[in-house]
Amino acid sequence: MRIKGKNFDGEGGEEEEQKLVVGYALTLKKKKSFLQPEFERLACKKGILFVAIDVNLPLSDQGPFDIILHKLLGKEWGDIVEDYRQTHPEVTVIDPPYAIQHLHNRQSMLQDVVDLNLSDFHGRVGVPKQMVIMKDPLSIPDEVAKAGLKLPLVAKPLVVDGSAKSHELFLACDWSSLSELEPPLVLQEFVNHDGILFKIYIVGDAIKVVRRFSLSNVNQCQLAKVPGIFPFPRVSSAAASADDADLDPRVAELPPRPLLERLSKELRHRLGLRLFNIDMIREHGTRDIFYVIDINYFPGYGKMPDYEVIFTDFLLTFKKKKYRAISCED
């Protein structure tokens, strides 16, 4: 899109200025948290224009767009975006629906971390031992015993579909209570991590890490006293921030930067995604043993410090590419 403006010498002439047009398809809740006024103002000053996509109209009849940002669920929407990608290769779609789908399954989302084998690169990164239960709750205790998993276990719905239920997590503290869980689900060994979780936000090449309070350590004596299944709150709320808390320096120390850069670069490549975050913990009593416990697509960037600047800079990289392409055509 081009807009009229003044010449640089201040005379009343006109010139054409290139705008980077970003079409977005987001839920109302996502739009409110992401497109905050300060962010829109900064983006506008930098020549970025956000335009809402009408999901009730053909996507090809809208625009023209330089970029499409989206986070809507459903196969129908995914097919629409994928068809658009194929017929409009000049438009950058962030991100491809098939790549996003990979993170909707908690079994497959962490496999890429396992395949990385980051066992000796400024620390070790792995995944807690886990298993998938597809059906028959009564068989869960036997299946867990056969797999060799140890209590306590974190129970997570297998499918991440954006609903509140898909984010409900439970801590199972005794064998008999395991049969009360509702498959399909993932059971993951709980790793003591001193009650601190690192949320690693990825925005293209940029990395931002924040600390969040998480579950406290659990010992065997506590397990014996509190049998059953217990829900625990999500740690994604801003109120759970631990960045300003008075923490033991050994607990508060962020993961090494080279490790995070290697991990994010590899996952960007393997996942084929530009926008995601990684939930990581450090094993209690260690300095360099880390576990990735979850990966989320297009997370709540509005809770990330300085997100307005970071995301604007990210979008501006596409504006530069656009100018280069126009220059080549000229």
Side-chain angles (χ1 to χ4, degrees):
M1 177 180 291
R2 298 177 185 270
I3 62 173
K4 293 181 178 180
K6 290 185 177 180
N7 287 334
F8 291 113
D9 60 6
E11 299 295 330
E14 293 182 347
E15 69 171 12
E16 292 185 328
E17 176 188 341
Q18 286 289 332
K19 279 280 189 180
L20 187 75
V21 183
V22 181
Y24 65 88
L26 306 171
T27 64
L28 289 176
K29 181 180 179 181
K30 191 69 175 179
K31 177 187 174 183
K32 183 178 180 180
S33 67
F34 177 66
L35 288 178
Q36 297 180 22
E38 185 177 345
F39 176 35
E40 287 199 89
R41 283 194 294 269
L42 176 61
C44 184
K45 288 181 180 179
K46 298 292 186 177
I48 300 170
L49 178 65
F50 290 104
V51 177
I53 291 172
D54 189 336
V55 296
N56 296 312
L57 297 176
L59 187 53
S60 294
D61 292 347
Q62 302 178 64
F65 303 117
D66 298 303
I67 297 173
I68 287 182
L69 281 175
H70 69 104
K71 191 179 182 182
L72 296 178
L73 297 172
K75 185 178 185 302
E76 182 179 359
W77 171 253
D79 290 342
I80 290 172
V81 175
E82 191 57 43
D83 289 344
Y84 185 87
R85 287 182 67 239
Q86 299 301 322
T87 56
H88 296 76
E90 75 283 2
V91 179
T92 301
V93 175
I94 306 175
D95 278 306
Y98 69 85
I100 298 171
Q101 188 65 33
H102 188 68
L103 295 187
H104 289 169
N105 183 298
R106 283 196 167 96
Q107 180 183 24
S108 62
M109 73 163 58
L110 298 182
Q111 187 57 48
D112 287 295
V113 180
V114 176
D115 294 341
L116 284 179
N117 189 29
L118 289 180
S119 58
D120 189 22
F121 188 82
H122 298 273
R124 293 165 49 192
V125 179
V127 172
K129 192 173 182 180
Q130 64 179 28
M131 67 181 299
V132 175
I133 302 293
M134 294 303 297
K135 55 184 179 179
D136 190 9
L138 295 178
S139 70
I140 295 178
D142 288 338
E143 293 295 323
V144 170
K146 289 178 184 177
L149 268 66
K150 299 177 182 178
L151 295 174
L153 297 172
V154 179
K156 308 178 181 182
L158 176 62
V159 177
V160 182
D161 60 9
S163 67
K165 188 174 180 62
S166 71
H167 291 286
E168 290 179 349
L169 309 182
F170 295 87
L171 190 67
C173 298
D174 70 292
W175 293 101
S176 60
S177 65
L178 291 174
S179 58
E180 300 174 19
L181 297 169
E182 297 181 20
L185 53 83
V186 171
L187 292 176
Q188 193 177 78
E189 283 190 343
F190 178 77
V191 177
N192 281 333
H193 52 284
D194 298 310
I196 294 295
L197 177 143
F198 302 105
K199 292 195 81 73
I200 305 161
Y201 291 95
I202 309 299
V203 184
D205 294 334
I207 303 170
K208 188 77 171 182
V209 187
V210 298
R211 304 176 189 86
R212 295 281 168 84
F213 286 116
S214 180
L215 288 186
S216 301
N217 294 342
V218 178
N219 59 43
Q220 293 302 314
C221 292
Q222 290 172 319
L223 284 178
K225 295 177 182 178
V226 287
I229 296 175
F230 302 92
F232 55 86
R234 295 179 64 183
V235 296
S236 60
S237 69
S241 175
D243 280 334
D244 297 324
D246 184 15
L247 300 171
D248 182 328
R250 293 169 296 182
V251 174
E253 182 182 11
L254 297 177
R257 189 73 184 184
L259 177 66
L260 296 181
E261 291 174 349
R262 170 79 177 276
L263 176 63
S264 63
K265 180 180 178 180
E266 292 287 351
L267 286 180
R268 285 199 313 271
H269 174 72
R270 289 171 178 264
L271 296 173
L273 299 173
R274 298 180 178 93
L275 303 178
F276 59 96
N277 85 324
I278 304 164
D279 287 349
M280 176 185 281
I281 57 176
R282 174 191 285 113
E283 185 174 355
H284 167 70
T286 75
R287 185 179 181 183
D288 60 356
I289 300 179
F290 301 94
Y291 292 92
V292 173
I293 57 175
D294 216 356
I295 303 176
N296 305 287
Y297 177 67
F298 205 148
Y301 286 114
K303 301 170 186 174
M304 179 181 78
D306 304 318
Y307 98 95
E308 301 93 343
V309 174
I310 292 172
F311 218 99
T312 298
D313 288 345
F314 166 65
L315 294 175
L316 286 176
T317 62
F318 297 96
K319 189 175 184 181
K320 293 175 182 177
K321 292 176 183 177
K322 176 182 177 180
Y323 281 145
R324 285 199 295 268
I326 293 174
S327 298
C328 290
E329 291 174 1
D330 293 343

